[in-house]
Amino acid sequence: MRTRLLHIVAAAAVVPIGSLNFGLQAQEAQPTPPREPAPFMIAPPSQQPPAARPAEPTPQAGPAPTPAALAIPASFAFKPLLPAARVMLEGENDTRSWAFYLTQDEAGADLNLDIAFQNALVVMPEASRLTVRINGERIMEAPIASSDRLKRTSTTIRKGLLRPGQNTIRFEAVQRHRTDCTVASTYELWTRIDGAGTRLSFKNPAQQSRLRSIDDLPAVGADESGQTTIQIVAPGATRAVAANSILAVAQGVALRGRYSQAAVRVSERLPERIRPGVLTVLLGTAKEVRELLGTLPSEAGSGSFLGFIANSRLGPATLLVTGESWPDIEATVAKFLTGPVSRPTNTNRKTMDTSSWHIPDAPFISDRQMLRFSELGVSTQESSGRRMRVRAVIAMPGDFYANAYGEATLYLDGAYSEEVLPGASRVEIFVNGNVAATVPLNAANGGLFQQSPIPIPLRHFRPGINEIWFEAVTQARSDLACGPGATLPGKNRFALFDTTTLAIPDFAKIGVSPNLAAAAGTGFPYSIAAHVGLLMGRQDLPNLGAAATLLARLAQRADRPLPIDILGSAATVGDRPALIVGAAGQLPAGLLPRVGIADNVRNTWPQRADAVVVLPETEGAAVFDAVINRFQGRQTTPEDSGGGTPTTEAIRDRWRGSLGGPLARYFISFDRWLQRTFDLSFAQLRAPTRAPTLYEPAEGAELIAAQATDPDTRQVWTAFVVRQEETLEKAMDRLVTPGNWAGMAGKLTAFRNGQDNHVISADSTTFVMTRAFSLANMRLVFANWMSSNIGIYALTLLGACIGLGIGTFLMLGRLGRRS
Amino acid sequence: MRTAIYVIFWAIATAVVVALITLPISLQAHLIAGTIVVGAMILLKFLRPYGVWRLIALGLGTAMVLRYVYWRTTSTLPPINQLEDFIPGLILYLAELYNIGMLFLSLFVVAMPLPRRKTAPPIAADAPTVDVFVPSYNEEPELLATTLSAALAMDYPAGRLTVYLLDDGGTDEKCNADNFVAASAAQERRAALQKLCDGLGCTYLTRERNISAKAGNLNNGLANSSGDLVVVFDADHAPARNFLTETIGYFGEDPKLFLVQTPHFFINPDPLERNLKTFKAMPSENEMFYGIIQRGLDKWNASFFCGSAAVLRRTALQTTNGFSGRSITEDAETAVTLHATGWNSVYVDKPLIAGLQPATFASFIGQRSRWAQGMMQILIYHRPMLKSGLSLPQRLCYSSSALFWLFPFVRLTFLVAPLCYLFFGLEIFTASGAEFIAYVFSYMAVNLMMQNYLYGRYRWPWISELYEFIQSVYLLPAVISVLINPGKPTFKVTAKSEELGTRRISELGLPFFIIFAVLALGVVATYWRIITQPYNADTTLVVGLWNILNLLMAGCALGVVSERPEGRGARRFPVRRRGQISIDGRTAPIVTENVSVDGVAIRVLSKDFDKLPVNSTGEIAFETSIAMPAGTLPVRVVRLAPDAKGLVLGCRYEPSEPLHSRIIADLAFSDAGIWSSFQKARRQNMGVIYGTLRFLRLAIFQTSRGLSYFFGLARLSRSNPGRRAAE
């Protein structure tokens, strides 16, 4: 009982946004394993049978590759599979599945599946199993019994199982605790799949071959950290005329490649080395390409060309984009690369692409919709564990505006057995890591849910991708005794049927600015703009790379390439929304205050001697699991977390509670009760401060994303300002990792090293009509606005009632008999 | 024109309020807005609860009630596929909707009641001729003598007033009944009353057969009389002298006026008032109706005939062939029929008659059953909401009056609902604890405050609920039977002048003890649930609280059915008349101290009477307020009370001839002003909080009294000799 309470308290204390990490501490809550050896190891093709395979692969020279048209580096003997540096499987049952892409050649090759994983010490090997499926077929099943070191296994994949194009891989873990039967103990169960050791390995590296058509772009894959690098080699990159094409290519490639994290680098010279997960794009006029390579590839012929080429120096994934002149190249890019994926701005998509880390794709909800769990990839399942979790992912539009009032309903189809102890058991729904609904399982003899409605406030939903966790916490009497073997799977406790339906009501839709969450979620409002202005700190390669990285991410979220106009100065922005990218020192005076950042930041911030934090490059990718980590961190009791630093809010609360006289304390405890019961605080009644204060970065801030509506043009401006020029590209790479990207919110988000994001919510917002006017929609917009401006609602209601009273008085004075 | 502008303004204000209320705002927003609105209501109540401020406060309350309805409708109904929860849940929901609908109907009726008319219009020189009908069935001659005497004593131009005793107890049918005993009783009654009428100077009328009950009797009177106006007094309703001068003038003003109704003022307590001892302090039950609802109805030209103490126009009655007798409430039925044919009514808010009401719980229930069944018949036969000829306000008014009597369903639903959860674990109201606090509590607070705004001076908090509760148990079957078979109920005359000699539990009391026991078990179940299911404690507590509220109500009802003994305890009113008393040949000047219909307290202005034995008889003569033959009134001295200023004698009348009745009537009923001031003394708004606390105290005390009666403790104290003497 005590632990349960602790969990609830912990759950209540979580801060809804801003706890995503910008940096390396993502894994702090868990025992950090020793760092892996360099990812670019020269590993042998597996000649040994998998079982006999040594745990640590010994570097060994493979057989000489058969002479081919292409000399493939040995590092290409592997194809990493994970969308991040590591993927965690947690709790008693967990499942993760996503898609990977293969070329025709790769699909036909002889392949092994290598898996590397490590698990928590408390996982009981006898009862815990890891299963891997590819395209639905079980490839591998192993006991989870490697808590001391990384366990590596390798399995041959049956010929014909893999297909060209999209394939799915699915990890399923069943884990049981060695000794503990409490619900709390289930949070200690984890298995970590390692990004460097989990891959497809080619028995004969020579078998694989290069990419052939544009549709093969997804097959570029990612590196061990889940990142795909788009290396744009453009000899004329620094010329203004080239920039448009560079940005268009970056967006088109990222969009069509469906990469989970794409980092763009722009260079004028060919890269030193190549490795998996890198797509090289040669971009330039025919003349420039000829100068670069010495000769124009044969595929290019004479005129414009966009396609993959075979080049021994550049590796298997080399895209050549060339033409006689830059306008010629631009036209080619538009025709072959971006054109086919340019969705008209007035049509809604049906899904949002999440295939690189979760399948099925998230349904894109633009209106009232009923989503069955079966459509969300949740199958009917029974659980004998203490905590059953399933995940569903849905996407909300950029003009989603219902988080203050809205309520979705989960029509639950499920059952729980009579073993389940009332009082201690419950169903909980989490939205983006926040508790949204709790339903106690209180019947003494089990119960059946038949389309039983559970209201889920839309408070924690945001534009773009939303994760919904369904969790059934069931405790049985046997858990209390916890005799020997009690943790072993026993009778089923909870059943969840795939007929369970999530009903999203018609919700208010209107664009709000500033709202970084919308920009992060769906690229709004850039996603619906006819032209987007781009201001860069300087027209140089790092700035181009950073801007291209950002645009690639935005284009993926918007599901269309953004039409970019590169601008020389802020004066020329005109009637279009603007993006600003650059290091603080590079930006012209007067620009930052327009997005709410103090102007002197340009000088003071880069000079600041902040504590230097070394950021390992791959670590950022681990934030892929940030949502889960956050979830886990919250669920961890203070004892478990090893005394991790409490949040500012928690400390503030503690101080607040222990100060003041008896009356003040009474007041505070009442406020807390309100907070607990109604999610309400006196602070909400405070009138918003109208005086705009310009932001000055706090200690440790490395990157600021800030958005504002420009008072002159009434267009949205968003600035991404990095502290120092040297870290521009790296900082932008980290920003676009899923975890950090999802942390953007409010009017300003400052990403700090080793600390929570600092989110400043907008004090005044403007609305942008995004749809044809409808009374029903406006009513809902009003409902949301009133729910977030409660004082105004109360006063309006009061005023209307007074009007009604006066009206009644006047009317009754005239109607009926008069005195 | 201006009216149109105001109506449009009102419509816009209403639309804005409804739009704001149906915004699906968050719980937090509701909680804050609700707190602010309720706070504003409280503030207004302290500052200025009159005029436009009263309507503003009601507007605020309406908003909160509507929000509750919106929330209740959209998010609290159990899922339809869980029928065991859904069906009772739906019933509870409908019961609440009925309550809220009735609240809005009564808001419409009493939003701005017509103030009391200051002065009655003068009666024209050629005053219309007036026939007074006193229908009787089984009342004693003494009672009738008082009423007839008082009717005869009314101020009116000589020769234009005729008083008829319409006797249904001495009809030919009764006199020739097969039952010999009954037949001879009827014959005796006819002879006695004929003699009484001859002596007083009024007309005795009876008829062949007892058809159509009271309506038939009145129609027989109509057929045998010819006055322009008809006045109806129940046999126990004695009018004041100024009854006609306060009412007849209105008929000169409006040729389409068919009715002037005046309130019924009762000089004895009803069983609740008597057993709970609230008669002196608390406004009577009917004062809410006559004090405010009839005034509200009057604003919409919809005040209706209440069977007695009213003046009607003969020509109007002739258009509908007299009084309607289809339902057992002929009064309201006649009124709705005439309203529908374009006739008007007026209500005079001044007590002008003094009457008796049922003394025992059983006869009280009998009376209410008749009203409820009659109103249901009107609802079924006349459908006031759809009746052509009625104006929209009239339709709403009549619907409000008739639908009110469906309350037994609702009251009993509220009684059973918490038990569904406490005993069977049914979840018929799906809401989280937070929602419950935010919506239900604010709704209940607003509801109490709105009732207080509407009826504050006329009704204490929770008393309406208590009255409804004590009637519901018996009215429910009565209402159901009439809904199933509308023609079945027949008119039953309510007994009113019964005596209660001993402490006893009413013969209708048992169900209340059973209900109390079941609800007490509910409290046990609450405790048990909290102990065994601590995880459900919040829900259990809320439901348990509701059950305890019901238990308090049921406990209070135990007090109501535990009848206190009381003689014919008619209310005494201060009357000052000079006169003289003569006992055994000695005479002395006197001044009357107070007067009732049974007796008089006199102060003897002489030392000679100090040693007068109790029970001695004598005769008193008074100065009278109207011209009548001089005479003396025989009395029996029942009590001697010497005080500092002399001696006060308590005397009981011993009337033996019609003249005595006229003297008593002149003494007791000549001045209606004393009744008004008596009522006024009770009409004070005690506020929601104090009223609730007072109700709580009452409930606890009455519970223990009821239980002590039940377990026979009453017998021990009955031998207390002091009390017996007091009786």
Side-chain angles (χ1 to χ4, degrees), chain A residues 694-714:
Chain A
L694 294 178
Y695 178 76
E696 303 225 22
E699 183 82 359
E702 281 296 309
L703 187 151
I704 304 169
Q707 194 175 65
T709 308
D710 185 63
D712 301 335
T713 57
R714 307 201 50 73

Side-chain angles (χ1 to χ4, degrees), chain A residues 442 450 678 779 793 812 817, chain B residues 22 28 298-299 345 536:
Chain A
N442 274 351
Q450 287 179 311
F678 297 108
R779 170 175 170 265
Y793 176 75
L812 288 182
R817 286 185 179 153
Chain B
T22 52
Q28 292 82 349
D298 197 22
K299 176 169 180 70
S345 66
N536 277 337

Side-chain angles (χ1 to χ4, degrees), chain A residues 278-543:
Chain A
V278 177
L279 171 71
T280 310
V281 181
L282 293 178
L283 179 65
T285 57
K287 184 164 155 272
E288 287 167 343
V289 172
R290 200 176 291 120
E291 279 171 12
L292 193 69
L293 298 179
T295 167
L296 199 64
S298 55
E299 293 91 336
S302 55
S304 310
F305 176 75
L306 191 153
F308 287 98
I309 55 167
N311 184 306
S312 54
R313 270 180 63 206
L314 296 173
T318 306
L319 186 68
L320 174 66
V321 184
T322 185
E324 283 308 312
S325 63
W326 280 107
D328 198 18
I329 294 174
E330 259 180 70
T332 310
V333 168
K335 184 175 175 195
F336 294 107
L337 191 65
T338 57
V341 288
S342 290
R343 188 169 51 96
T345 52
N346 58 357
T347 55
N348 280 318
R349 48 192 146 159
K350 291 276 174 283
T351 59
M352 194 151 170
D353 183 18
T354 58
S355 63
S356 60
W357 57 277
H358 175 86
I359 51 173
D361 282 343
F364 192 84
I365 299 175
S366 49
D367 223 325
R368 173 199 314 254
Q369 202 166 341
M370 303 279 280
L371 297 159
R372 287 173 76 135
F373 265 23
S374 54
E375 300 165 45
L376 292 171
V378 177
S379 53
T380 296
Q381 48 196 283
E382 292 171 296
S383 159
S384 60
R386 283 138 203 87
R387 200 162 57 91
M388 165 183 171
R389 291 197 308 161
V390 299
R391 166 160 75 171
V393 178
I394 64 171
M396 290 295 184
D399 55 359
F400 169 79
Y401 184 63
N403 43 11
Y405 82 94
E407 225 173 50
T409 311
L410 186 79
Y411 291 98
L412 175 60
D413 269 344
Y416 58 104
S417 74
E418 59 208 7
E419 275 197 325
V420 172
L421 267 185
S425 308
R426 65 197 179 272
V427 164
E428 277 181 309
I429 316 285
F430 295 86
V431 173
N432 293 329
N434 301 283
V435 186
T438 304
V439 179
L441 302 177
N442 274 351
N445 301 314
L448 189 67
F449 294 104
Q450 287 179 311
Q451 294 287 303
S452 170
I454 302 173
I456 302 174
L458 296 181
R459 188 174 316 134
H460 301 300
F461 281 79
R462 42 159 52 229
I465 287 166
N466 292 276
E467 277 190 274
I468 299 167
W469 288 95
F470 174 95
E471 188 167 302
V473 175
T474 49
Q475 213 170 35
R477 203 168 295 279
S478 60
D479 290 349
L480 299 181
C482 203
T487 62
L488 292 172
K491 274 191 240 164
N492 283 324
R493 297 183 182 181
F494 194 92
L496 174 70
F497 304 113
D498 64 3
T499 47
T500 299
T501 309
L502 179 67
I504 307 283
D506 206 0
F507 52 85
K509 290 177 282 277
I510 195 162
V512 176
S513 74
N515 181 10
L516 284 170
T522 63
F524 183 87
Y526 304 100
S527 54
I528 56 166
H531 291 279
V532 175
L534 174 69
L535 279 164
M536 288 185 288
R538 195 179 291 152
Q539 193 98 345
D540 61 4
L541 297 179
N543 265 300

